[in-house]
Amino acid sequence: MSEARYAVGIDLGTTHCVMAAVDLAVEEPDGAAQWTVPVPQLTAPGAVEERPMLPSFLYLPHPDELKSEDRILPWGEPQPFVVGELARAMGSRTPIRLVASAKSWLCHPGIDRRAAILPVEAPEEVERVSPLQASIRYLEHLRAAWDQRYPDHPLAEQDVILTVPASFDPAARELTAEAAAAVGLSRLVLLEEPQAALYHWILAARGEWRKQVQVGDIILVIDLGGGTADFSLIAVTERDGSLELERVAVGDHILLGGDNMDLALAHAVRAKLAEQGTQLDPWQLQGVTHGCRSAKETLLGDAKADAVPVVVPSRGSKLIGGTLRTELTRAEVTQNLVDGFFPSVEASARPAIRARAALTKLGLPYAQDPAMTRHLAAFLARQVGATRDLAGFENRLPAGATFLHPTAVLFNGGVFKAQPLLERTLEVLDAWLAAEGAPPVRLLEGADLDLAVARGAAYYGFVRRGRGVRIRGGTAKAYYVGVESAMPAVPGMEPPIEALCIAPFGMEEGTHAELPPQEVGLVIGEPVRFRFFGSSVRRADQVGAVLERWAPEEIEELEEIEATLPTEGRQPGEVVPVRLRAAVTEVGTLRLEAVPRAGEETWKVEFDVRGES
Amino acid sequence: MNVSQPNFSARLSVALRAFWRILNDAAFAGGVLRLESGVAAPPALPDEPAKSAPLRETSPDAAMQLLALLQQEGRFVDFLEENVTAYSDAEIGGAARVVHEGCRKVVRDYLKIEPVRAENEGARLTLAAGFDPATVRLTGNVVGQPPFTGTLMHRGWRVAQITLPKLADGHDARVLAPAEVEL
């Protein structure tokens, strides 16, 4: 394969995809050598337009709904589906045929992510797609857009950096890499989104970034997208006299984002109208949501206005008579967004967890507590020990600190275009820090909250070639398999489970862990499942460590993993002792292998096995 | 005067004018020779096109496309088609917000419109000789020679850039908004 000319960063977002590129032939990427790649897409039937973002929506039209020439794209034959702006627009009228938030489904541990389940609400006759297929469609579209623009440098031959939430579990990462492989992106690397945002900040600050941070700094990256919230902590360390960056912790996967905020406002307006005796139908509620989004932007962007009218046009052609008018006041926005999503809470606050109703529909596990600040408090408290063993950070935290004290904050995501939300977050953080005698955080000024991740990812392609500072860190979790303890069985009780560490914290790309001394038994010809666990706080556990008990917040259970030994040359049903070995691929995915006692052969252990039984 | 059969005095006048012109104008002399020998005149040269008014048809597709966008985002056609006299100003005002916000979005997204003159309205300005009358229209006491000095009444607007979505070949641009039928 020829040498890559460009590094292409792809932000495959929950609500939007963005593609950016950097020319690898230049010495230092500045504005001219780094750009966002416009994506042609259908914006109305038969109308194709280039937009900087591709909305991550897939619409599965009825055969009579769109003429084939109205589905045409600048490349190739019309597809039986629609991706992008038109998909979003059509889906707002016919939600039963719309696939949205495929990325959140891709990391939904409760489902088989290769199964055609989307749209969940679709009637029988709609041919559904899997979360994996939906991701493939978006990537296919982006690849076609690139190949059309740069026919001499097809995307398959470029270095592609695909971003994933830092909180993505190993199965979701592997599925993302699989989607990329399915569209032929063979020179692929995964990068965590908060890291990409920080790379963008480094790029935007040029050489100046070294003056804005110093050794001992802990940078908190808060990435709040359309559908998810993602936290990371990055420490500024020193090696041989030069600054280095090390990602020391990542947060849990929280399904909470900007779209929730627009919806919250819309429901507030709906309640207000209901008090006045006006009931909204679903179509009008959508109009209200749309109106609230722009009213919110006006109110949060302009300190002068106290109320902004929200007008919901009638659906029929009679515009004037049927138009519904109300207004959104500053007080309502403050109450619902600033206080609702970013309440001023103590550092000891924790997200509320409600017991889920027994009969929940198949749906996404949205965050139950909308308060970002409580999620943040929980994250910082859980990671209080994140820098304890880091050289230069030994005495950084005061003895009684209840949470890790960040010294700088980088915001990312369109939500933070609203200055009051950003200010409130800083205010809350500073209050927590002041209570423990720590100085306030510094705000790292980032540029372009919407496009930073893709641009930072493209720049990472440059950095990977040894031309810029690289954020180190490796895997942000240690991984364990569940093995039954050798205790005598007690009637009526499940045998207790012990967690055997097979992958330590911080494994770098392209490395593999030691073989643990413990063996587990695999049955030839039969799939054998193991319980699988991850910990984002147990940094010291080495391969082979066995935990008999642990605090519930220390270790979380992930999806089961499964190994199947082929029957060739062996007796089916025979039990073979194997050891489980973990590796992190060059792409950045975790790989587990079963290694038998003798012989060269190894077998891959699969993630994401639910539904295949 | 009968042009095809001129009388004697008219013929004398033509003969004298023709005499002088044959002496001075070689092309005219050639034409007379051809007339005398009965040869048909050569077809008109391509650089002398037939004299029709230099007007062109504009493409209606782009106009319909822009209308469709204004309707889609700002309900523009709905608004124009309504009988506004039947409603109060408050009702019209509510609808006008929808139209204004949506149409403005279309104009901002697809067109780059800028003022022709950067000066503030009401300012005095001087137009030097050779100004483009297509971009500046003179009104009032329009006499004499440039430079002209006057007051800027309207700054004017000019499209600096326009990028409309590309249309598929078979797309029927006449449909500004499809009828909607909910099942």
Side-chain angles (χ1 to χ4, degrees), chain B residues 44-128:
Chain B
L45 294 173
D47 59 348
E48 286 178 70
K51 270 206 175 168
S52 66
L55 296 175
R56 62 194 151 91
E57 294 280 341
T58 57
S59 155
D61 273 12
M64 293 190 288
Q65 193 187 0
L66 190 60
L67 262 183
L69 288 168
L70 291 170
Q71 164 67 14
Q72 187 185 318
E73 298 287 336
R75 308 289 296 270
F76 186 63
V77 180
D78 288 343
F79 187 65
L80 294 186
E81 289 295 314
E82 279 221 70
N83 176 14
V84 291
T85 52
Y87 299 102
S88 70
D89 283 3
E91 286 172 309
I92 296 172
R97 286 188 190 280
V98 175
V99 179
H100 180 258
E101 190 188 319
C103 294
R104 184 147 101 154
K105 181 174 180 297
V106 170
V107 168
R108 298 230 163 131
D109 284 358
Y110 300 101
L111 301 158
K112 195 174 156 205
I113 296 183
E114 56 185 29
V116 173
R117 301 292 308 196
E119 296 91 345
N120 285 327
E121 287 175 8
R124 300 284 291 171
L125 55 88
T126 301
L127 299 167

Side-chain angles (χ1 to χ4, degrees), chain A residues 417-537:
Chain A
K417 281 182 206 157
Q419 197 67 18
L421 300 183
L422 191 147
E423 281 163 9
R424 169 59 70 86
T425 312
L426 288 176
E427 204 179 287
V428 172
L429 263 174
D430 287 346
W432 295 346
L433 290 165
E436 299 198 352
V441 290
R442 300 193 311 280
L443 174 65
L444 301 183
E445 303 277 359
D448 218 328
L449 297 160
D450 281 327
L451 309 177
V453 166
R455 287 174 158 250
Y459 173 60
Y460 175 63
F462 204 82
V463 169
R464 281 184 73 232
R465 303 192 160 213
R467 296 191 281 179
V469 68
R470 187 167 178 172
I471 303 169
R472 301 183 313 122
T475 51
K477 276 186 175 142
Y479 294 100
Y480 308 80
V481 287
V483 288
E484 281 179 20
S485 87
M487 274 172 55
V490 179
M493 272 182 70
E494 264 186 76
I497 282 279
E498 291 176 342
L500 164 65
C501 181
I502 56 167
F505 201 94
M507 281 179 69
E508 300 271 358
E509 284 162 21
T511 62
H512 56 81
E514 315 265 302
L515 273 174
Q518 295 87 343
E519 290 179 330
V520 294
L522 287 189
V523 186
I524 288 173
E526 278 177 33
V528 176
R529 293 189 173 192
F530 298 95
R531 288 173 72 181
F532 190 50
F533 303 87
S535 171
S536 60
V537 292

Side-chain angles (χ1 to χ4, degrees), chain A residues 47-365:
Chain A
V48 173
E49 221 181 297
E50 286 187 349
R51 297 267 173 105
M53 300 198 249
L54 177 76
S56 313
F57 292 89
L58 172 69
Y59 186 78
L60 309 168
H62 187 277
D64 293 336
E65 214 175 337
L66 278 177
K67 292 196 288 184
S68 76
E69 60 264 33
D70 280 348
R71 279 186 268 116
I72 201 141
L73 283 165
W75 51 85
E77 288 296 297
Q79 301 279 4
F81 53 83
V82 180
V83 165
E85 188 57 50
L86 179 61
R88 176 164 68 179
M90 295 184 78
S92 71
R93 285 156 202 240
T94 310
I96 52 167
R97 290 177 173 273
L98 180 71
V99 178
S101 300
K103 188 184 187 180
S104 299
W105 287 100
L106 201 62
C107 64
H108 188 332
I111 55 155
D112 175 6
R113 306 162 224 199
R114 289 190 179 84
I117 52 163
L118 300 179
V120 171
E121 308 277 322
E124 282 295 303
E125 64 169 68
V126 175
E127 200 171 316
R128 298 176 194 216
V129 299
S130 70
L132 177 67
Q133 277 167 322
S135 304
I136 291 174
R137 300 266 156 92
Y138 304 146
L139 284 173
E140 258 171 1
H141 190 101
L142 294 173
R143 191 205 58 193
W146 173 278
D147 288 354
Q148 203 213 10
R149 184 170 279 260
Y150 305 101
D152 296 337
H153 302 281
L155 193 60
E157 291 174 18
Q158 310 309 311
D159 286 354
V160 175
I161 299 94
L162 192 55
T163 62
V164 290
S167 49
F168 249 25
D169 64 20
R173 281 171 202 246
E174 193 176 84
L175 286 163
T176 307
E178 193 178 321
V183 297
L185 308 181
S186 52
R187 308 172 73 137
L188 177 81
V189 190
L190 300 181
L191 177 67
E192 291 173 3
E193 282 155 14
Q195 289 192 39
L198 195 67
Y199 279 121
H200 181 260
W201 172 75
I202 292 170
L203 172 71
R206 305 281 175 86
E208 297 295 299
W209 75 270
R210 285 187 174 83
K211 294 179 187 154
Q212 296 189 41
V213 292
Q214 61 210 27
V215 176
D217 265 334
I218 298 173
I219 304 170
L220 167 66
V221 184
I222 303 180
D223 182 10
L224 196 48
T228 52
D230 212 6
F231 305 126
S232 284
L233 287 165
I234 293 157
V236 182
T237 59
E238 189 173 22
R239 183 188 284 186
D240 306 330
S242 63
L243 292 186
E244 292 215 322
L245 296 168
E246 184 164 346
R247 198 266 286 104
V248 292
V250 303
D252 287 340
H253 202 69
I254 307 169
L255 287 190
L256 182 62
D259 290 0
N260 304 56
M261 301 185 185
D262 296 334
L263 206 57
L265 276 183
H267 282 284
V269 168
R270 182 175 72 166
K272 185 162 76 173
L273 285 167
E275 271 175 35
Q276 297 161 7
T278 313
Q279 297 297 335
L280 294 183
D281 60 31
W283 157 264
Q284 286 173 315
L285 183 63
Q286 221 167 66
V288 168
T289 313
H290 185 79
C292 283
R293 188 174 304 141
S294 47
K296 171 195 82 178
E297 278 159 18
T298 311
L299 282 172
L300 291 179
D302 175 9
K304 287 190 289 290
D306 264 329
V308 172
V310 175
V311 179
V312 187
S314 67
R315 191 161 182 189
S317 67
K318 288 270 172 286
L319 181 65
I320 301 176
T323 294
L324 204 73
R325 185 185 181 284
T326 179
E327 61 176 25
L328 195 65
T329 63
R330 173 171 299 278
E332 284 165 338
V333 172
T334 307
Q335 185 197 335
N336 284 291
L337 295 194
V338 184
D339 295 336
F341 286 87
F342 298 86
S344 297
V345 295
E346 300 289 316
S348 57
R350 296 291 176 267
I353 297 168
R354 273 180 287 117
R356 289 197 184 268
L359 284 171
T360 48
K361 278 195 303 190
L362 176 58
L364 287 172

